[in-house]
Structure formats: structure tokens, C-alpha cells
Amino acid sequence: MTDSAALLDRRFTVAPMMDWTDRHCRAFHRILTRRAVLYTEMAVDQALIHGDVPRLIGFDASEHPVAIQLGGSDPELLARASRIAESYGYLEINLNVGCPSDRVQSGKFGACLMREPELVRDCLIAMREAVSVPVTVKHRLGVDDQDPEKTLFGFVETVRESGVTTFIVHARKAWLKGLSPKENRDVPPLDYDLVRRMKAQHPDLEVLLNGGLESLEHGMAEMHGTDGIMLGRAAYHTPWTLAEVDTRVYGAASDPCATPFDAVEAYRPYVEAQLERGVKLHAITRHMLGLFAGRPGARKWRQVLSERANRPGAGWEVLEDALDAVRPAAAE
């Protein structure tokens, strides 16, 4: 393992989310938590091999600790993509065995691989042999008519033969026919106890709980019997959730930011640097809309950013005006 791999303390992680957890999102989340492990959007193996790699997976070292998630089902291609990802400095490479979208199924990867644990094992072996950083897997309880009580335990028994020791479990089945990806995040019932029983049967594995965790409090209440939690939509839509992770999960003496206002100011150097490179303000601020969620002035914050960040030439002054719109309500 590389020395940098020691940074990976997975007690709290932020899920890979397509179209959401891009580099600007991760840079913002890193302002709020220094310790949580952040994951990229899924990157398809062939896209890395044949595409514009800097555009697809380029990132700033300030995002660390950060891991990349790959999608694919060909051991050789995944090995090549893993080497590319490692060369860019990612500390972990995760294989997607959980996404239920039609596009992913057509490529024969994602949740449909729950039906082929031997192939998953072989993919992970190839990935581990190709790189020196940790390789992990994120998966479901099963798919379609599979019985999770049988599928999950059989899947883990086979996949662990790869030498992979970190399993991130979305505690729902995926229905590959009849439900949309959005419905697959809500409709199939959650079974956290099954994940805890999986961990009890495999105490030597690191098992992270994912799926339906609505807040940091909810996650911490459910993480008993596992090694950590992964939040997705809760972390994205209410990012201030992350501002208590360092103290409450990791026992740090303090959190990075005392208030959302402090977080925005701390993010300013990154925002201005990206604007100078030609990045549009909206590409950055779209990940910040929920910062004041549940607080006075949240609607005004969203309104200013939504209406003005898309305008030609929009710059830091839009964020200053959005903060000014929030302050009167916050002061009441």
C-alpha cells in the first residue's frame, strides 16, 4: 500500500453520485470535513482508456482523501483503467456493483453483476494486481427475484476470494426491470440488520452501511455492528450535515467551519481560481444550494444563486449578494 492510503479512514464516506459528486462538489465538501472519504462519480473503464482523462477524472490534491469509482465488467479493461486512476493520485479504486440504470445494464456492469459474483471476483483480482492502492466494492443486497438472505452471503463468500476486504453495502435490492434508478433508491425496502449479520459472519471484513440514511444522526444510530457509514443524498442536499463529521465521528477537537457563512468564505479561493480558469459559476454553486437548508434565509440563498449564477460573467459577487440576502433572516 502507498503511504497516502493511510489517510483512508472510512468511518464516514460520501457516496459516489452521478452528475453530483464532481470535482467542484468534492472541493466544497472538503471545506466542511477534513476527514470524510469522498468518492467520485462513476467513471466507465473504456471512457478512461479512450477518452479525455484529465477532463473525466482530474482533481485537486486538496480533495484528499478521495477515491474513484469505476464501472465495467471486463477484468483487463478494469485493470487498465485502475492503473490510469492510480497514476492520477486516487487513494482507492471502487468497483460499482450497485447502479441499476438502463445505461449501466446495457454495458453489463453495475447492479446486474450481482448475478455474476465469479466475474466480480475476477474483475477485482485484476484490479488489485494492477495497482498498489486499496480496491473496494460497492454493491446491493441482490437484484430482482433474488433472495437477499441467500444472495448477499453467497456473493460475499465468492467476492472475498479476490482479496478485497472492504464491502460498501447499499442495504436494498435493485429491481432492474420495472423501477427507475430514482425509484430504486426509495421503493425496495431497506434491511440494515441483514448488513449487520453479514458483518458478524465476516468480522475480518470492513463493512460500510449505505442506503436511506437521512442524516448524520440517523447514520450514527444505524452504524452499530458495521465499520462505518456512507451518506449520499443527505450529504448532497443538506451539505452542512458534513460540518459536524470531524468532531462527532472522528473525535476531532473542532470542525473546520463554525457557520455556513464561514464555509462560503473558506471556499472563496477555490471558486475564484476556477472562475479564472473559465469555469462557469453555476457549475460550482449548483452544489451549494442546500447549504442553508433548514435555516432562516435558505430560500433567499437558493433564489439568488439559481437566478444569477447562470448569467454571463457571473462571479464571486453573486455569492456575496446571496450571503447578504441570508443575513437578515439569520440575525433574527
Side-chain angles (χ1 to χ4, degrees):
M1 299 296 178
T2 62
D3 292 339
S4 59
L7 295 170
L8 290 168
D9 183 335
R10 301 186 188 88
R11 279 178 282 175
F12 187 95
T13 58
V14 178
M17 292 176 280
M18 290 300 294
D19 300 322
W20 288 0
T21 51
D22 64 16
R23 63 188 306 172
H24 307 308
C25 174
R26 298 191 305 268
F28 178 51
H29 286 178
R30 186 55 70 214
I31 293 294
L32 301 170
T33 169
R34 300 284 185 260
R35 303 288 297 276
V37 179
L38 307 179
Y39 284 76
T40 69
E41 306 168 88
M42 181 187 68
V44 178
D45 52 7
Q46 294 194 58
L48 292 193
I49 294 168
H50 302 294
D52 183 346
V53 178
R55 181 183 63 81
L56 290 170
I57 65 168
F59 75 104
D60 191 280
S62 64
E63 296 173 33
H64 276 315
V66 61
I68 187 170
Q69 185 181 71
L70 297 182
S73 59
D74 182 297
E76 180 181 351
L77 295 179
L78 282 166
R80 291 172 63 186
S82 296
R83 282 191 288 269
I84 294 170
E86 182 182 35
S87 74
Y88 267 71
Y90 286 98
L91 301 184
E92 172 194 321
I93 301 171
N94 177 265
L95 180 62
N96 183 333
V97 188
C99 182
S101 76
D102 291 339
R103 181 170 66 88
V104 167
Q105 290 181 60
S106 67
K108 197 187 174 185
F109 53 91
C112 63
L113 288 174
M114 291 297 299
R115 298 193 186 105
E116 300 186 67
E118 292 83 6
L119 177 56
V120 174
R121 175 197 62 202
D122 294 346
C123 288
L124 292 169
I125 288 173
M127 293 165 70
R128 290 189 71 236
E129 290 177 346
V131 299
S132 61
V133 297
V135 173
T136 66
V137 60
K138 186 175 186 292
H139 59 93
R140 294 276 185 147
L141 302 182
V143 294
D144 296 336
D145 294 325
Q146 289 180 330
D147 178 358
E149 292 279 350
K150 298 177 181 177
T151 301
L152 178 64
F153 291 96
F155 178 86
V156 172
E157 288 285 356
T158 298
V159 171
R160 67 170 298 161
E161 294 171 2
S162 66
V164 163
T165 58
T166 298
F167 289 70
I168 305 169
V169 190
H170 186 144
R172 286 188 174 97
K173 285 206 306 183
W175 287 94
L176 303 181
K177 295 182 179 179
L179 292 183
S180 68
K182 180 180 184 301
E183 290 168 329
N184 264 298
R185 293 191 294 267
D186 297 301
V187 175
L190 289 158
D191 195 342
Y192 297 143
D193 286 336
L194 184 59
V195 180
R196 286 189 273 266
R197 282 188 276 131
M198 168 195 153
K199 168 62 181 180
Q201 185 167 314
H202 299 281
D204 57 319
L205 298 180
E206 181 181 40
V207 176
L208 309 186
L209 185 66
N210 170 240
L213 299 173
E214 299 174 351
S215 64
L216 179 58
E217 290 75 14
H218 184 201
M220 293 182 71
E222 293 289 354
M223 72 184 292
H224 63 91
T226 68
D227 298 294
I229 52 175
M230 174 178 275
L231 261 64
R233 286 171 290 167
Y236 187 84
H237 290 304
T238 56
W240 189 247
T241 295
L242 302 177
E244 296 182 314
V245 165
D246 290 9
T247 53
R248 296 188 60 188
V249 177
Y250 293 99
S254 63
D255 289 305
C257 301
T259 71
F261 295 94
D262 295 333
V264 176
E265 192 58 40
Y267 197 36
R268 181 172 184 166
Y270 178 87
V271 174
E272 292 185 331
Q274 293 300 312
L275 292 173
E276 288 178 6
R277 294 185 181 120
V279 175
K280 302 299 184 184
L281 183 65
H282 171 70
I284 301 169
T285 58
R286 71 186 185 98
H287 304 299
M288 306 173 69
L289 294 177
L291 179 61
F292 288 89
R295 291 170 170 260
R299 186 180 65 82
K300 286 286 188 182
W301 168 259
R302 293 193 306 271
Q303 183 179 14
V304 173
L305 294 186
S306 297
E307 291 179 357
R308 294 180 52 192
N310 257 327
R311 295 178 183 175
W316 178 256
E317 72 282 352
V318 175
L319 281 158
E320 290 183 330
D321 290 347
L323 289 176
D324 287 343
V326 173
R327 284 192 175 95
E332 292 178 359

